[in-house]
Amino acid sequence: IESVGGPQVGDLNLFNAENLDEKFYSGKTRALYGTHISVGDKMFSSFPYLRSLATITWDTLDWYGYDKDGGSVHDVIGTRCDPYTSKLISDKDYHYCCHSNLTRALVKEKNVEVLKRQLELTKEQFEIGEVTLTDVSISEARYSLSESELLETFNIIDSINAKYLSIFGTKPDNPEIIIPTDYGKFEIQKLKSIGKKNNPRIEAITFLIRSIENEINSLKRKRLPSLKLEAEAKINQGYFRTDSEREVLSAFAKVDIPLYQSGLASSKIRESKKKLFAQKELLRLENENLVANLISSHSSYNYSLSRIEAYKKQIQSNKIYLDGLKQEFQLGERTTLDVLDGEQELLQSELDLIKAYKDFFISYYEILFYIGKLNAKDLKLNVDLFDYEKNYNKVKGKWLDIIE
């Protein structure tokens, strides 16, 4: 395991590739070697196996030792971050930690394992005449599909990691993204009203329309005569005596009458009116697209909420059903194939729940984007905010705009 992007913090999970029930046991490793491990130390597996899963043979940080605060590297003090601890401490559901990310990957990998066993068993039953060749073909197809889905899952994880790196300039290190599963239902009419007022694209087009309208009014004034008045008052020394003074008052008016402009002003007005018409048409289309997008995202939001609740209940039902199958299998009333089918249904419902959470997450933040709330201020991000009004009041009275 090598870190190539500078200092990193990561949680390590170890599994027996042939038996995923055998996994790294940090508590027993800590009992044998202490709170931190290094070269020569073994990493032991869980009960009932309790054997070495890996041995540290190379460590470029073995020079660190213990600092003044008693800290060191490669600790086995605690386990990987998990949603249960987060729920206990903050009462929030957070499913993008190390434990949940691993679970998502293992669900499909476990699915491949179950379908492989199911395929082998189906072939054995076919040889003794208990099932048909069609059953074998179906099992082979399901197994091939699960392998393809597993490969797709790992490709998606690699793609997400690469995209995260390109945006933030660092690899993912357990970013805290809280899914608002307890958020109330959106009212579509209220969303439309807020969106037409605060949507960033609509807001930008609205300001551009106002700018063009002001430009047209300015061009219209250039076609009319203009009058300029100036006045001056001063005291001059006398012509013949140096000790004499006189007051001088002067005033004059300047009239500018555009006699011939070769239609320049009218031409610019027509050009600006065409721009104004185009922007108003664009505004109309943006409003229509906003309503359509809000309706679509709102439907996805409500649908994903209902799916989340449905899949939670389905998982509970499938667990009860699987336990019943296992008990009936021990009594000889069910076959191994029945148990494998039950496991497959449970895994599929768990995967469907994860997909429902994903759809909920996407639709929720789509709605925030369309109503102009997907920004640092409304999301209450811990960053410095740019105050447009404060900045305007700061610079509007500057004579020389040189120093920031």
Side-chain angles (χ1 to χ4, degrees):
I1 302 172
E2 214 170 331
S3 172
V4 296
Q8 301 288 332
V9 176
D11 289 343
L12 175 65
N13 296 285
L14 294 175
F15 287 84
N16 181 352
E18 304 300 327
N19 178 15
L20 294 180
D21 291 333
E22 183 180 7
K23 48 190 174 294
F24 174 51
Y25 188 8
S26 60
K28 183 58 65 177
T29 304
R30 181 174 66 251
L32 294 172
Y33 294 106
T35 57
H36 298 79
I37 56 178
S38 188
V39 176
D41 295 336
K42 300 180 184 297
M43 305 176 73
F44 280 81
S45 63
S46 56
F47 295 126
Y49 312 99
L50 198 59
R51 59 178 178 172
S52 174
L53 279 178
T55 302
I56 300 178
T57 59
W58 179 57
D59 183 7
T60 59
L61 295 176
D62 57 358
W63 53 270
Y64 189 88
Y66 289 84
D67 56 31
K68 62 180 180 179
D69 298 318
S72 186
V73 295
H74 312 323
D75 71 272
V76 286
I77 297 174
T79 57
R80 62 181 181 268
C81 50
D82 61 85
Y84 311 105
T85 305
S86 176
K87 181 72 173 178
L88 178 65
I89 295 175
S90 62
D91 195 31
K92 292 180 179 179
D93 293 314
Y94 173 63
H95 296 284
Y96 286 85
C97 55
C98 299
H99 175 86
S100 299
N101 292 338
L102 176 68
T103 301
R104 274 188 287 273
L106 285 180
V107 162
K108 287 194 173 181
E109 188 164 344
K110 185 72 174 178
N111 189 36
V112 172
E113 179 185 339
V114 169
L115 290 175
K116 183 178 181 180
R117 288 164 52 197
Q118 191 177 50
L119 175 60
E120 293 172 351
L121 183 60
T122 304
K123 288 181 177 179
E124 292 177 1
Q125 291 180 316
F126 173 72
E127 292 177 356
I128 60 177
E130 291 185 0
V131 297
T132 65
L133 185 59
T134 302
D135 297 320
V136 176
S137 300
I138 293 174
S139 296
E140 287 179 341
R142 292 170 67 184
Y143 175 61
S144 299
L145 180 60
S146 65
E147 284 188 316
S148 175
E149 290 178 345
L150 178 62
L151 180 61
E152 180 188 13
T153 300
F154 285 119
N155 288 337
I156 291 173
I157 291 175
D158 291 339
S159 176
I160 292 174
N161 286 336
K163 190 171 185 179
Y164 187 98
L165 179 62
S166 68
I167 295 174
F168 298 102
T170 183
K171 293 182 179 179
D173 185 20
N174 190 25
E176 186 178 2
I177 304 175
I178 301 174
I179 301 179
T181 52
D182 56 348
Y183 200 91
K185 290 187 176 181
F186 291 108
E187 297 179 10
I188 187 64
Q189 295 301 328
K190 188 176 181 180
L191 290 177
K192 292 179 183 179
S193 176
I194 297 174
K196 290 180 179 180
K197 182 179 179 182
N198 297 327
N199 181 271
R201 288 182 60 84
I202 291 179
E203 195 175 40
I205 296 173
T206 301
F207 282 126
L208 185 57
I209 288 175
R210 292 179 186 174
S211 175
I212 296 174
E213 289 174 341
N214 291 333
E215 180 184 353
I216 292 174
N217 292 331
S218 177
L219 290 171
K220 286 180 177 179
R221 287 193 294 268
K222 289 184 178 181
R223 297 191 302 180
L224 302 175
S226 61
L227 177 64
K228 183 178 181 182
L229 298 176
E230 292 186 5
E232 181 180 22
K234 62 182 179 180
I235 299 176
N236 286 342
Q237 297 290 335
Y239 288 106
F240 303 103
R241 295 177 56 185
T242 58
D243 60 345
S244 66
E245 296 181 345
R246 64 173 182 169
E247 295 181 355
V248 180
L249 299 175
S250 62
F252 61 90
K254 180 182 177 182
V255 180
D256 185 8
I257 302 176
L259 297 178
Y260 178 71
Q261 294 181 325
S262 68
L264 179 62
S266 298
S267 175
K268 289 185 176 181
I269 290 174
R270 288 194 299 271
E271 180 184 356
S272 297
K273 284 184 175 180
K274 287 184 177 180
K275 289 181 181 178
L276 180 62
F277 176 79
Q279 291 301 322
K280 286 184 176 180
E281 183 66 15
L282 181 60
L283 179 61
R284 183 185 66 81
L285 293 175
E286 283 296 333
N287 276 296
E288 291 178 356
N289 289 335
L290 172 67
V291 172
N293 290 331
L294 278 174
I295 292 175
S296 176
S297 297
H298 183 258
S299 300
S300 298
Y301 174 82
N302 289 331
Y303 178 52
S304 59
L305 276 178
S306 62
R307 286 170 60 208
I308 288 172
E309 295 304 318
Y311 287 133
K312 284 182 178 179
K313 294 179 181 178
Q314 187 178 24
I315 288 172
Q316 294 300 321
S317 299
N318 286 338
K319 285 181 178 179
I320 296 173
Y321 176 64
L322 180 59
D323 289 339
L325 285 176
K326 290 179 178 179
Q327 293 176 9
E328 292 176 1
F329 172 75
Q330 293 176 352
L331 296 174
E333 297 179 0
R334 294 282 187 172
T335 65
T336 304
L337 188 59
D338 294 328
V339 177
L340 290 173
D341 284 335
E343 291 181 357
Q344 170 66 19
E345 289 183 15
L346 176 59
L347 289 171
Q348 186 61 48
S349 60
E350 290 174 338
L351 181 60
D352 289 337
L353 176 61
I354 293 171
K355 291 180 178 179
Y357 271 117
K358 173 192 171 186
D359 293 339
F360 168 81
F361 181 86
I362 293 174
S363 59
Y364 174 77
Y365 283 101
E366 278 181 346
I367 291 174
L368 291 188
F369 169 73
Y370 293 134
I371 64 175
K373 300 295 184 180
L374 193 62
N375 54 65
K377 181 180 179 181
D378 291 305
L379 293 177
K380 296 181 175 58
L381 301 182
N382 187 25
V383 296
D384 295 331
L385 301 177
F386 180 77
D387 191 326
Y388 297 96
E389 185 174 349
K390 181 179 178 181
N391 183 71
Y392 169 73
N393 292 329
K394 180 180 178 182
V395 303
K396 69 177 181 180
K398 280 189 175 182
W399 285 79
L400 294 175
D401 195 7
I402 299 176
I403 303 175
E404 286 290 336

